[in-house]
Amino acid sequence: MAVVHGVIGGMPLPFPVPNPDGCKFGGLTCPLENGKTYTYTHNLFIRSSYPPLGVKVRWELQDEAGKDIVCIEIPCHIQ
């Protein structure tokens, strides 16, 4: 499952994503197997009402127990 936060001023704010299931909507073949390489993709819609600002996007992929498999922070700027 994908869990996404916008980190603004060090504060993580939840950013709900439709279809967070990476196995059904992210292109992953589940169950994942150790030692294999996978490519996950997801499009993120940015509304025109969002204010222009710099933000880190923290994107986590979690297993069934809610444990992080992957966690990445991506510096972004909304214009």
Side-chain angles (χ1 to χ4, degrees):
M1 174 159 64
V3 177
V4 181
H5 290 85
V7 182
I8 302 171
M11 174 82 68
L13 304 170
F15 190 93
V17 292
N19 308 319
D21 188 331
C23 299
K24 293 181 182 176
F25 302 103
L28 299 175
T29 303
C30 296
L32 302 179
E33 296 180 35
N34 191 22
K36 289 196 173 183
T37 300
Y38 296 91
T39 300
Y40 169 82
T41 59
H42 194 102
N43 293 322
L44 188 61
F45 180 74
I46 305 298
R47 299 177 189 272
S48 60
S49 61
Y50 293 167
L53 57 88
V55 60
K56 286 183 188 173
V57 175
R58 180 179 300 152
W59 203 290
E60 301 163 71
L61 293 180
Q62 298 179 339
D63 64 14
E64 309 82 36
K67 182 180 175 188
D68 282 352
I69 298 169
V70 174
C71 179
I72 186 169
E73 283 193 354
I74 306 160
C76 298
H77 188 84
I78 300 173
Q79 296 184 24

